[in-house]
Amino acid sequence: MTDRYAVFGNPIGHSKSPRIHALFAAQTRQDMSYEAILADKDGFAAAVDAFRAIKHGTARGANVTVPFKEEAFRLAARRTPRAEAAGAVNTLSFEAGEILGDNTDGAGLLRDLKHNLGCDPAGRRILLLGAGGAARGVVLPLLLEGPADLLIANRTEETAARLALEFSRLPGCAVGIKPDGIGFGGLAGRSFDLVINATSAGLSGAVLPLPTSVFAPRGIAYEMVYGRETPFMTQARGAGARVADGLGMLVEQAAEAFFVWRGVRPETAPVLAALKGN
Ligand code: NDP
């Protein structure tokens, strides 16, 4: 009986996850299938139920993407500590009739930064742009790396301030600094070794009102959006920063989910190379 997996989202046609997991499964010789499922905006739980009810094969788990990560959090009967901290779930495991929720986005970003890009966040001044689900998922993993500073800046200042306050109360923050949350206007004259864009501005080509000074010379600018040159990437490159897009994070968060489900960690480098090839 083949083990079955899926990714749920809306829209979902663009998803690279079926290809990534097919490559992981072939590489590690796992007998599994993985499909993309378009769920109605108000039909996420029903779509998951329907997927689990199919009789051929055994439904073992699922990934969850926009806009269902918060709903997946509520659907899970139990959640990992990193999913609790993120307040969002991108990985579901179906075990003995129960749904377990996890979040692999933070681990994916950290692995891409450290292993693929050679950027260790320890001791760095970090600027995190955005305060939505993606930003929320990476705050704790970044703090646990021991940065010199973590500043969260968002278009809506109060959301950034709320997010920073929430994480400054967590016990994990005892290991390092407390994050601050501000609006973009507060960035003038400040400089960072690592700037992570976790806003969705790049999807619409919107320009973030960032002073060029935020990009320290020889710093890293990380854009979570992938598959296109965003205004953020262009600005960072112009300021002399090393620029990376979110394709590596996408592959690494998928590898972490694969490990959660199968207990095997796939090699990500050949998969990343295959995706970059076309
Ligand atoms: P959310 O909708 O939860 O949050 C969107 C964030 O972007 C908010 O902080 C919002 O600010 C900000 N924003 C949106 N438009 C603009 C704009 N024009 N100018 C300034 N700020 C803007 O989205 P997510 O957090 O879930 O996702 C964010 C991005 O990260 C997406 O593009 C997604 O594709 C990407 N992502 C990539 C992953 C990967 O593996 N590479 C994994 C997860 C996400 P405000 O609060 O003011 O509305």
Side-chain angles (χ1 to χ4, degrees):
M1 292 263 275
T2 299
D3 289 342
R4 294 168 48 245
Y5 298 87
V7 57
F8 292 86
N10 187 331
I12 199 65
H14 65 287
S15 176
K16 295 185 189 299
S17 294
R19 180 156 179 226
I20 293 171
H21 283 279
L23 289 169
F24 287 164
Q27 182 199 112
T28 58
R29 298 171 194 277
Q30 299 288 302
D31 180 13
M32 58 182 275
S33 66
Y34 189 107
E35 63 191 294
I37 296 178
L38 176 71
D40 288 341
K41 291 252 166 79
D42 58 357
F44 171 66
V48 173
D49 279 350
F51 177 70
R52 295 177 72 199
I54 293 170
K55 292 288 179 245
H56 65 85
T58 308
R60 295 282 185 203
N63 285 134
V64 182
T65 187
V66 177
F68 299 124
K69 289 184 186 180
E70 283 79 17
E71 207 176 332
F73 181 89
R74 294 191 292 275
L75 188 70
R78 282 193 292 130
R79 295 177 285 260
T80 59
R82 61 188 179 179
E84 290 286 353
V89 156
N90 77 337
T91 302
L92 298 171
S93 299
F94 308 135
E95 285 179 16
E98 198 177 49
I99 299 182
L100 309 181
D102 200 349
N103 189 310
T104 64
D105 280 341
L109 173 69
L110 261 297
R111 215 173 155 84
D112 194 32
L113 282 172
K114 291 169 75 171
H115 293 265
N116 302 337
L117 301 168
C119 169
D120 188 344
R124 301 225 186 199
R125 296 164 298 165
I126 303 178
L127 172 62
L128 178 62
L129 302 169
R136 173 174 286 277
V138 302
V139 172
L140 188 59
L142 285 170
L143 284 173
L144 292 173
E145 294 294 319
D149 192 12
L150 176 63
L151 182 63
I152 303 169
N154 192 44
R155 177 176 61 182
T156 309
E157 180 170 358
E158 59 184 306
T159 319
R162 212 178 314 126
L163 187 61
L165 184 65
E166 201 179 307
F167 280 91
S168 65
R169 288 180 181 145
L170 284 174
C173 297
V175 298
I177 43 87
K178 289 182 191 296
D180 258 334
I182 63 169
F184 292 134
L187 289 171
R190 302 198 60 171
S191 187
F192 301 86
D193 310 306
L194 172 60
V195 182
I196 300 168
N197 186 10
T199 76
S200 52
L203 292 179
S204 61
V207 178
L208 296 173
L210 300 177
T212 296
S213 65
V214 296
F215 302 102
R218 295 181 303 282
I220 294 202
Y222 193 98
E223 168 67 271
M224 283 198 191
V225 168
Y226 52 85
R228 67 185 80 194
E229 173 78 10
T230 66
F232 169 81
M233 295 165 77
T234 306
Q235 184 186 13
R237 203 170 277 118
R242 204 175 132 209
V243 175
D245 77 359
L247 191 64
M249 176 177 173
L250 179 79
V251 172
E252 296 296 347
Q253 63 78 28
E256 183 73 13
F258 193 90
F259 178 69
V260 166
W261 293 328
R262 311 301 299 179
V264 185
R265 195 173 283 286
E267 289 281 334
T268 51
V271 175
L272 197 47
L275 292 182
K276 281 180 178 163
N278 51 47

